[in-house]
Amino acid sequence: MFGTIFSEKDAELGPSSQKDVVDIFLNAATFSKHVEGSAEKSMSFEDFRNWCALLPSVKKYLASLLMPPDAGRPGSQVPCLLHGESVDSNMILTRKEYAWHIGGALSQQELEEWKLLYHSAYNGLSFNTFLGNISKDGGSTVLIIKDKEGCVYGGYASQPFERHGDFYGDMKSFLFQLYPKASIFRPTGANKNLQWCAVNFSSDDIPNGIGFGGRVNHFGLFLSASFDQGHTFNCTTFGSPCLSKTSRICPEVIECWRVVPKGKQGTHDAVKGSVLERFKEDRHMLNMVGLANSSE
């Protein structure tokens, strides 16, 4: 699949690293079928079904093999990842393979361009800057976190991150894992606790920060407003496990990408890092939380 989807020019790393990426996807699979004469177990049909449920990009690609060849057919599209010239591509967490994996749970219209809105290495671990950057154009976003345990995971927010005192969002949101294994966890319908974005609340019952699923103080994924800590627990909202090695997480890198719908390419700026842009970001954040007028 990778040999077909990703051209040689997209292969940024050597064969051993490419094998590591393949292993990330295979790590999501279960092999429970005993094979006579073999010491290793095989993948049963039920194992295969479960694997495809965790990796919709794989399911889309295999299903597309029943259709006439077409470069744009389902399962073959990889979003174009755009970022500012000042951003070193080696610092980016989101590989093309990761984008392909996440894109398996999105519509074809959402697989054209993704633009980097926020990167903690360039913007700092700042909740205010994060909100300022992503509030400039709204829309759906992909949040990706690498923690100090080396695990990479995140969530797709179908609705803009805006100040709320309770859960909100729709059934298009989902959680995902990228490393050391790749999986996607869509809403189960168990509840509607999909997205969370609390800003400047003083109650312990409304923790400031952003999150997905679960319940207050026991989210499927949560980043506190300090941006230096958070947590991830088993979550009935998405049927997801703890996304890291431990439930308490310490972010090392945080990225947020704007999913640009088809037909709207070229209308938004990638992440900026200048002081002047920071003022604009803070202004957008104040507008979002309703404090702009009081600051004047």
Side-chain angles (χ1 to χ4, degrees):
M1 283 189 285
F2 280 1
T4 302
I5 296 168
F6 303 101
S7 63
E8 290 185 8
K9 63 182 177 63
D10 289 333
E12 301 158 356
L13 303 174
S16 60
S17 295
Q18 290 173 8
K19 181 182 180 301
D20 290 342
V21 175
V22 171
D23 287 343
I24 291 169
F25 288 82
L26 291 178
N27 287 342
T30 299
F31 298 85
S32 63
K33 185 178 179 180
H34 294 276
V35 180
E36 187 175 351
S38 175
E40 294 185 352
K41 293 182 179 180
S42 172
M43 186 183 287
S44 68
F45 182 63
E46 190 61 29
D47 292 338
F48 176 73
R49 286 168 58 94
N50 292 335
W51 187 56
C52 285
L54 292 173
L55 302 174
S57 51
V58 170
K59 182 179 179 180
K60 279 186 179 180
Y61 178 82
L62 294 178
S64 75
L65 298 180
L66 302 176
M67 303 164 58
D70 178 4
R73 64 187 179 183
S76 297
Q77 284 187 280
V78 181
C80 179
L81 302 176
L82 303 178
H83 55 76
E85 293 180 0
S86 62
V87 178
D88 183 352
S89 58
N90 293 320
M91 299 286 287
I92 301 296
L93 280 177
T94 310
R95 300 175 53 118
K96 291 180 183 293
E97 294 88 348
Y98 291 169
W100 173 73
H101 165 55
I102 298 167
L106 301 178
S107 67
Q108 293 292 97
Q109 290 70 33
E110 296 173 294
L111 300 179
E112 295 290 326
E113 286 183 2
W114 293 3
K115 292 192 175 184
L116 185 64
L117 298 180
Y118 171 87
H119 193 293
S120 57
Y122 292 88
N123 300 105
L125 287 170
S126 167
F127 189 40
N128 287 354
T129 302
F130 173 86
L131 292 176
N133 280 17
I134 66 173
S135 67
K136 283 186 285 189
D137 50 51
S140 55
T141 50
V142 176
L143 176 71
I144 299 179
I145 301 165
K146 179 182 179 182
D147 64 26
K148 293 185 178 179
E149 296 288 341
C151 298
V152 184
Y153 45 85
Y156 168 77
S158 58
Q159 299 295 314
F161 280 113
E162 298 174 337
R163 188 178 192 261
H164 289 77
D166 203 349
F167 284 98
Y168 68 105
D170 59 39
M171 301 298 281
K172 294 179 182 178
S173 297
F174 57 85
L175 290 176
F176 55 80
Q177 291 174 305
L178 298 175
Y179 185 86
K181 68 177 181 180
S183 300
I184 282 179
F185 306 98
R186 305 195 210 200
T188 61
N191 56 56
K192 295 183 179 180
N193 299 348
L194 296 153
Q195 282 182 234
W196 180 273
C197 182
V199 186
N200 292 339
F201 285 100
S202 57
S203 170
D204 291 339
D205 295 329
I206 309 178
N208 292 315
I210 55 174
F212 297 84
R215 61 182 188 274
V216 172
N217 294 321
H218 200 281
F219 294 86
L221 176 60
F222 179 76
L223 277 178
S224 72
S226 64
F227 255 35
D228 62 355
Q229 61 181 315
H231 64 249
T232 169
F233 290 101
N234 292 353
C235 168
T236 57
T237 307
F238 299 104
S240 56
C242 170
L243 301 177
S244 185
K245 292 180 181 178
T246 60
S247 59
R248 298 294 170 182
I249 61 174
C250 295
E252 187 174 88
V253 181
I254 302 172
E255 287 181 2
C256 189
W257 297 79
R258 161 80 162 109
V259 176
V260 183
K262 188 174 182 178
K264 294 187 178 181
Q265 293 84 0
T267 60
H268 303 281
D269 292 329
V271 61
K272 301 285 196 309
S274 70
V275 173
L276 290 177
E277 288 298 328
R278 296 290 179 86
F279 285 131
K280 291 180 182 178
E281 291 155 7
D282 290 343
R283 178 69 181 182
H284 281 292
M285 190 276 292
L286 290 171
N287 279 322
M288 187 180 72
V289 301
L291 296 178
N293 293 334
S294 64
S295 68
E296 291 178 339

